[in-house]
Amino acid sequence: MSENISAHDLARSAASQLAELTGVPSHDVALVLGSGWGGAAELIGETVAEIPAADISGFTTSAVAGHAGTIRSIRVASAAGEPTRHALVLGARTHLYEGHGVRAVVHGVRTAAAAGARTLVLTNGCGGLNPEWAPGTPVLINDHINLTATSPLEGATFVDLTDLYATRLRALAREVDPSLAEGVYVQFRGPHYETPAEIQFARRIGGDLVGMSTALEAIAAREAGMEVLGISLITNLAAGISPAPLSHAEVLETGQAAAPRISALLADIVARLTP
Ligand code: 8IG
């Protein structure tokens, strides 16, 4: 139990450092920007402060190309007459495969919750299992399957994960783009991509999207009482779905090509989020 307390204490002290460094005492919404999603921050609103994640307690610097290691506080562009809202944009995701443990993976989410955020938007780049979803397609996550064999929760913390990816927020996202498809996200540990046999397994157990993030973060967010929206960008067809081998270069290229559309989508969604 004392270990559990220290993970949350670390998040609370990170949140107070953030409040001090950004000058924004409390944030309303937090976003984790994954592969391909980095451009969205500019469109969400005016950046009030940008802080290297390494300056905040508990954050490890990410080694993955395409993952920005900064945390931004953004004043959300809202309609006239609406109260000003502040978004915390975590460009620095820690992946389980980096080997810093599951606490490090969810520290950003816990920090965002401690900073006041009641809504969390998790984005990622992923592999697609449906051949009709071309690379560059954004897909709403409607549920997940956690194949990491771990949990961010410590001790007898029995948390309900029904409607983890809030139906309400998915409906709100579809108001912005009615063409958005939905699917089940399967988190693997990585860092290797799957074998074609593992992708067939993921299909048979009900998966639509495969990746190396998000599920553990969503669990930690639910523990913290946040409402979660998850959106994946399909950056590649999963192994064996297309005959082409997978490459991180392809992932980055697809992300760049899709950036204008998905950034605008995300900004429109954030503008409509109400606590
Ligand atoms: I971007 O095909 C991206 N991340 N596990 N499989 C897994 N993670 C991914 C993939 C993929 N594409």
Side-chain angles (χ1 to χ4, degrees):
M1 202 61 203
S2 65
E3 288 193 347
N4 213 4
I5 289 166
S6 77
H8 290 92
D9 281 351
L10 186 61
R12 271 190 287 274
S13 69
S16 63
Q17 290 163 22
L18 264 179
E20 179 129 330
L21 290 169
T22 61
V24 178
S26 172
H27 289 81
D28 305 288
V29 53
L31 299 95
V32 179
L33 300 183
S35 300
W37 293 90
E42 266 80 48
L43 300 182
I44 290 169
E46 183 202 337
T47 298
V48 175
E50 182 163 11
I51 293 150
D55 291 359
I56 310 283
S57 294
F59 284 85
T60 53
T61 44
S62 178
V64 185
H67 290 268
T70 66
I71 299 174
R72 290 200 216 192
S73 177
I74 294 179
R75 192 179 297 116
V76 178
S78 56
E82 288 195 6
T84 304
R85 288 174 305 122
H86 297 276
L88 193 64
V89 175
L90 303 165
R93 169 177 263 149
T94 298
H95 294 84
L96 191 61
Y97 59 70
E98 291 172 65
H100 303 294
V102 70
R103 278 191 188 186
V105 170
V106 301
H107 178 63
V109 169
R110 286 184 172 146
T111 298
R118 309 305 306 144
T119 310
L120 177 67
V121 183
L122 294 170
T123 66
N124 62 51
C126 74
L129 273 59
N130 181 341
E132 283 167 19
W133 292 345
T137 305
V139 177
L140 294 173
I141 299 173
N142 59 19
D143 207 345
H144 80 222
I145 298 173
N146 170 15
L147 293 187
T148 66
T150 190
S151 169
L153 310 186
E154 299 173 29
T157 314
F158 304 119
V159 170
D160 173 48
L161 301 183
T162 310
D163 202 38
L164 178 54
Y165 301 89
T167 304
R168 183 184 86 87
L169 296 182
R170 280 183 277 130
L172 187 145
R174 275 195 309 270
E175 283 174 21
V176 174
D177 182 350
S179 77
L180 282 170
E182 294 192 357
V184 172
Y185 180 89
V186 184
Q187 182 176 358
F188 286 84
R189 179 188 179 279
H192 50 273
Y193 293 120
E194 295 71 32
T195 62
E198 287 164 346
I199 291 303
Q200 289 310 310
F201 166 71
R203 263 169 72 122
R204 286 176 192 183
I205 63 175
D208 301 295
L209 311 161
V210 288
M212 305 176 193
S213 68
T214 304
L216 296 172
E217 294 155 69
I219 294 167
R222 167 55 60 91
E223 179 196 27
M226 301 166 104
E227 198 176 14
V228 178
L229 176 67
I231 320 178
S232 289
L233 172 68
I234 295 179
T235 56
N236 57 277
L237 289 178
I241 301 291
S242 131
L246 277 54
S247 79
H248 190 56
E250 177 200 6
V251 165
L252 296 180
E253 271 169 40
T254 304
Q256 272 163 21
R261 178 182 168 208
I262 63 173
S263 300
L265 169 69
L266 196 55
D268 282 359
I269 292 170
V270 171
R272 283 172 191 238
L273 289 175
T274 47

